[in-house]
Amino acid sequence: MTDAATVGHTRDAAAVVRVAVPSPLRRLFDYLPPADRPIASLVPGMRVRVPFGRVRVVGLVVEVGADAAVESARLRRIDAVLDPRPLLDERDLALLRWAAAYFRHPPGEVFLGCLPGPLREGRPAERPAPVRWGASGAGMVDASAALARAPRQAALLARLRAAGAGGLTAAALADEPGDWRRALAALEARGLAERVSDAVDGIAPCPPGLPDPPSPAPAVQPGPAQGEAIESVWAARDRFGAFLLEGVTGSGKTEVYLALIERIVAAGRQALVLIPEIGLTPQIVRRFRDRLGDAVVVLHSALPEQERLMSWLAARAGEAAVVVGTRSAVFVPLARPGLVVVDEEHDLSFKQQDGFRYSARDLAVVRARQHGVPVVLGSATPSFESLHNVASGRYARLVLPNRAAGALPPELEIVDLRGLALDAGVSDRVIDRVRACVAAGEQALLFVNRRGFAPVLLCHACGTPVDCPHCDAHMVWHRQADHLACHHCGTGRAVPRTCEQCGGGELRAVGLGTERIVDLLERRLPEVRVARVDRDSMRRRGALEAALDAVRDATVDVLVGTQMLAKGHHFPNVTLVGVLDADAGLFSADFRAPERMAQLLVQVAGRAGRGARPGTVLVQTHHPDHPLLRALLHGGYSHFAHAALAEREAAALPPYRAHALLRAEAPTPELAHAFLERARGLAAEHLPRVDLVGPLAAPMERRAGRYRAQLLLEAAARAHLHDGLAAWTQVLEGLPEARKARWSLDVDPQEMI
Ligand code: ADP
Ligand code: ZN
């Protein structure tokens, strides 16, 4: 970018401000300072408003005082500086710079994308007094009769009453079980609750940060392995160190995080905790709040923008001692960082799969190194990348070998489906075990990794499936909603009566979906109370929590669900888990499928028998002798992982090789391929130590009406890949073929689709 300035005729080396602006180009843009300000008053990390093309945009200053790359007559001036002080400090900027360079993503999208929406739009980085709610005059008198049938509202009202005239903010109410906003709206409608204005009767609002639960949950006494893990990390608190905390579900990993965080916070520093998906695991936030109080702020994309901004600013100001968030929280500025935790580090949700395709887990490690603090990656089923990093000495391994509080590990049992009569894909053995489990007053969990009734509708006469008109995919039959849906592009349509191909045939459902299992249970075990947990049934806010409550309150006997159920939930009375379609993960073109399958199996199994009773996991398969299943069943995850890693090494696959995937999609396959062919031709010059595979059609070539193809880049070492990547992508941006195809680069891709 500075080439022009170094060509010799230093005709005018105007000092410029280098700004990240929202643009798909992989570069920063140079500006002159505003007419009324010296350049020295600008600092990297401040937002500015700048002219860009024909519009005005909000940008972020990344560098100040560099020599202009073009003549100053061609440079435009910054219109306005939006922040009196930088929003991001040098360390925050360093992380973003690193991320933009490593993942080869346009810096404008990286630098601005990390900011909460209101800041991206140029609104001031100030915290307006948050809205508070309190009990109204009527709510202050006893309303228990009116709320006798609304226990949630009654509980909320009691809490508002206890808070007094100052009321409570949304942040303080975030640990309320269930959908507190609905309960609150109902209370407001009844005239029992109201918004409290800040200046009522001169009573100051409660200062933020006051713990509102009167007594935090008592800490448990760590067991020996937990104690060792805690001390190892604590001993490294003043320097960078990466720790892989490996322990089966229920072995007490969360207790290790909590104990460490308590110490870090007591030492006056902040902890950043990344978790996979907050919507799926409301329990974990509640647990952090119970233990650490209001010092915990939450950051995730489903939060209302204003609340997200408040959390972000509180973290940056150092007022929030603990930030619990999903992947984008890896970029939140912290005033006094002391510890980074990534829970369920193997989880795919840490890798963003579109746009800026970063890995929050890997960035968490980079960030900890920049801050000189420890990072703990925890999992019952560590990613192969992390296991490899342990093997090569980059990460230290900490192990929690047993379940805490003496709970026994679940027993795995294969159900060999070969030759068995099946009802909707389920064997009688599984049905009998569910019946017995429920009769014993215990609960069961049945796991199918597909929502809907059946993944395919086939014509019984001619065999033609009903396919999506825009994708190379079958449409899924959702019987309850009575329609067909494409799970790839969202297209929906009515269920045809007869085959549209041959005109005559009757359509038959093929394959398993959650709805079909519920239907089966209703037919075969009518006495059993069943609930379904998948993205369809959990769409309504608070629905997941209601379902989890129903399990805890034992008003449900059997849960049927997708991988949503595999995540972090604690069901003490569940003693039976059925994995109904284990074969789906055994035969896949994706070399990562076995790893994902094993992780899922072990995670689902981890839901069983966490209480006093041991659990059983039934695994239905047509391939009981599959080496992966054998390794997993007989030696556990770690045995399996060693075997599978050896295979990866022999096959020269990641983590033993570095991968990047150049993807292209276009209205025709030819346009997508033409771009990739051109890119391949240019790679010889820029990427001499990289092997190229393709261009090939993507595994699902047509999706949402566009044709997709990809070029795989492989190298023996990361450095070989990264050496020429910057120059190469810069050239790709200028290609005429690039204007006819949408393309993206995925560094360390996790999915090949
Ligand atoms: P993980 O995060 O590995 O799934 P948790 O930290 O959630 O495990 O612990 C599982 C259960 O065991 C929790 O109910 C937790 O309170 C309890 N537990 C963890 N450590 C201890 C301990 N040292 N003593 C008693 N109970 C513990
Ligand atoms: Zn589709």
Side-chain angles (χ1 to χ4, degrees):
M1 262 173 281
T2 50
D3 296 353
T6 54
V7 283
H9 28 229
T10 41
R11 50 191 179 233
D12 86 60
V16 294
V17 182
R18 213 148 263 172
V19 179
V21 300
S23 147
L25 296 178
R26 285 169 178 73
R27 47 168 297 203
L28 301 169
F29 292 84
D30 290 353
Y31 287 90
L32 295 170
D36 58 348
R37 282 181 76 141
I39 191 164
S41 72
L42 277 97
V43 181
M46 288 176 170
R47 288 173 304 156
V48 287
R49 194 176 296 280
V50 293
F52 188 68
R54 280 186 228 164
V55 293
R56 297 250 167 326
V57 298
V58 174
L60 192 85
V61 175
V62 176
E63 216 182 309
V64 175
D67 285 344
V70 296
E71 290 168 58
S72 60
R74 288 176 49 203
L75 289 170
R76 302 169 85 178
R77 279 194 187 280
I78 292 171
D79 278 348
V81 179
L82 302 180
D83 296 304
R85 282 177 306 282
L87 266 188
L88 301 174
D89 69 17
E90 224 2 271
R91 283 180 317 193
D92 304 326
L93 293 170
L95 179 73
L96 292 165
R97 249 185 234 119
W98 192 95
Y102 184 86
F103 294 105
R104 290 305 304 148
H105 196 70
E109 292 180 12
V110 174
F111 281 84
L112 293 154
C114 82
L115 300 177
L119 297 182
R120 226 178 303 146
E121 287 152 21
R123 280 187 260 152
E126 285 163 4
R127 279 178 286 172
V131 176
R132 294 171 168 278
W133 289 275
S136 66
M140 278 296 184
V141 299
D142 185 28
S144 50
L147 297 179
R149 285 153 162 274
R152 187 143 279 166
Q153 291 174 46
L156 181 59
L157 181 59
R159 215 172 142 189
L160 293 174
R161 276 218 294 257
L168 291 172
T169 61
L173 289 167
D175 61 340
E176 269 291 308
D179 189 351
W180 64 267
R181 283 175 194 279
R182 254 174 63 164
L184 182 66
L187 287 174
E188 280 186 283
R190 290 176 196 266
L192 299 173
E194 61 191 15
R195 282 174 182 235
V196 183
S197 91
D198 274 336
V200 227
D201 305 321
I203 300 166
C206 313
L210 271 191
D212 78 84
S215 55
V220 298
Q221 188 62 36
Q226 287 172 315
E228 209 172 291
I230 294 165
E231 295 308 331
S232 306
V233 180
W234 181 244
R237 65 190 171 280
D238 289 321
R239 57 176 190 270
F240 167 69
F243 297 88
L244 178 66
L245 178 62
E246 201 178 334
V248 295
T249 328
S251 61
K253 296 182 295 295
T254 309
E255 284 300 327
V256 170
Y257 312 147
L258 286 166
L260 279 166
I261 293 169
E262 278 173 338
R263 292 194 192 180
I264 291 287
V265 171
R269 298 170 75 181
Q270 291 168 287
L272 172 63
V273 182
L274 300 182
I275 63 177
E277 278 164 278
I278 284 183
L280 298 187
T281 50
Q283 294 165 343
I284 184 144
V285 174
R286 208 175 306 155
R287 197 159 155 202
F288 273 76
R289 277 246 163 81
D290 283 350
R291 190 73 161 269
L292 303 160
D294 271 2
V296 179
V297 300
V298 174
L299 258 183
H300 59 97
S301 53
L303 274 186
E305 289 226 311
Q306 205 56 32
E307 282 174 39
R308 233 170 124 192
L309 175 61
M310 304 290 272
S311 296
W312 194 90
L313 291 171
R316 173 175 170 271
E319 291 165 15
V322 185
V323 180
V324 179
T326 47
R327 66 171 175 256
S328 62
V330 75
F331 296 112
V332 71
L334 297 170
R336 292 168 280 104
L339 175 71
V340 181
V341 172
V342 183
D343 188 28
E344 309 289 2
E345 65 89 32
H346 64 279
D347 198 280
L348 251 192
S349 75
F350 288 122
K351 169 90 180 183
Q352 182 144 302
Q353 302 286 7
D354 53 13
F356 176 23
R357 298 167 188 266
Y358 64 97
S359 158
R361 178 196 59 217
D362 296 347
L363 284 175
V365 176
V366 172
R367 186 161 187 191
R369 181 182 298 124
Q370 289 179 342
H371 290 319
V373 303
V375 54
V376 180
L377 309 176
S379 179
T381 52
S383 63
F384 283 13
E385 286 84 4
S386 294
L387 291 173
H388 180 57
N389 281 326
V390 168
S392 62
R394 280 189 288 271
Y395 295 178
R397 181 167 182 252
L398 305 169
V399 182
L400 303 182
N402 302 311
R403 287 189 157 191
L408 296 167
E411 202 161 295
L412 288 166
E413 222 179 286
I414 289 274
V415 180
D416 181 354
L417 293 181
R418 288 174 300 180
L420 291 187
L422 301 179
D423 187 353
V426 180
S427 60
D428 284 346
R429 174 119 154 261
V430 169
I431 294 173
D432 293 343
R433 293 287 287 271
V434 170
R435 183 188 293 116
C437 164
V438 174
E442 297 167 2
Q443 293 167 308
L445 195 159
L446 296 181
F447 179 82
V448 193
N449 210 11
R450 197 176 268 103
R451 62 197 166 85
F453 190 85
V456 192
L457 267 188
L458 273 190
C459 171
H460 195 48
C462 74
T464 308
V466 185
D467 286 340
C468 175
H470 312 295
C471 304
D472 293 333
H474 304 309
M475 296 194 86
V476 178
W477 182 25
H478 291 256
R479 198 175 74 169
Q480 207 174 22
D482 193 23
H483 77 144
L484 293 174
C486 172
H487 286 188
H488 301 283
C489 71
T491 295
R493 57 164 293 183
V495 184
R497 287 283 156 97
T498 52
C499 175
E500 288 166 345
Q501 187 68 30
C502 69
E506 163 207 355
L507 294 165
R508 294 260 173 105
V510 178
L512 281 188
T514 47
E515 282 184 24
R516 194 170 202 173
I517 303 304
V518 172
D519 177 71
L520 166 79
L521 292 173
E522 283 168 355
R523 274 193 290 113
R524 300 282 301 273
L525 303 172
E527 71 281 9
V528 165
R529 297 163 301 174
V530 182
R532 177 160 63 90
V533 175
D534 58 29
R535 265 176 225 280
D536 294 326
S537 64
M538 297 296 124
R539 213 148 273 188
R540 201 166 46 73
R541 205 179 160 143
L544 178 62
E545 281 160 294
L548 299 179
D549 285 348
V551 179
R552 251 190 310 275
D553 304 344
T555 55
V556 157
D557 303 311
V558 180
L559 275 186
V560 174
T562 57
Q563 60 184 1
M564 273 179 104
L565 278 181
K567 310 229 171 183
H569 306 297
H570 183 167
F571 302 123
N573 199 38
V574 167
T575 55
L576 182 69
V577 170
V579 177
L580 303 181
D581 56 355
D583 292 345
L586 294 177
F587 303 94
S588 164
D590 184 348
F591 69 87
R592 284 193 175 81
E595 176 186 357
R596 305 263 177 254
M597 178 66 196
Q599 288 168 343
L600 210 55
L601 249 166
V602 174
Q603 294 287 344
V604 189
R607 307 302 128 213
R610 299 189 85 190
R613 282 155 292 206
T616 304
V617 180
L618 299 175
V619 182
Q620 290 202 144
T621 177
H622 282 96
H623 302 273
D625 297 321
H626 194 287
L628 151 65
L629 274 184
R630 296 237 80 86
L632 194 61
L633 295 183
H634 299 294
Y637 182 79
S638 138
H639 181 73
F640 153 80
H642 275 101
L645 270 165
E647 276 181 24
R648 292 257 192 109
E649 186 166 22
L653 287 167
Y656 300 94
R657 299 270 284 180
H659 275 185
L661 199 59
L662 183 67
R663 293 188 172 90
E665 55 172 69
T668 69
E670 292 74 24
L671 289 173
H673 280 266
F675 168 76
L676 294 177
E677 286 293 356
R678 217 28 226 290
R680 187 189 164 108
L682 290 161
E685 174 190 342
H686 293 287
L687 299 162
R689 290 187 291 178
V690 169
D691 297 329
L692 300 158
V693 182
L696 295 170
M700 181 186 291
E701 183 174 20
R702 200 168 50 109
R703 181 154 156 185
R706 299 177 69 88
Y707 289 83
R708 307 151 74 240
Q710 53 198 28
L711 176 66
L712 177 66
L713 286 71
E714 286 191 316
R718 284 234 161 94
H720 298 180
L721 184 57
H722 283 270
D723 277 350
L725 215 48
W728 185 59
T729 47
Q730 212 82 60
V731 177
L732 298 185
E733 278 181 352
L735 293 178
E737 288 87 348
R739 277 192 287 279
K740 300 192 181 118
R742 204 185 301 155
W743 64 275
S744 64
L745 184 71
D746 190 349
V747 175
D748 304 334
Q750 291 294 310
E751 288 183 325
M752 296 300 198
I753 48 164

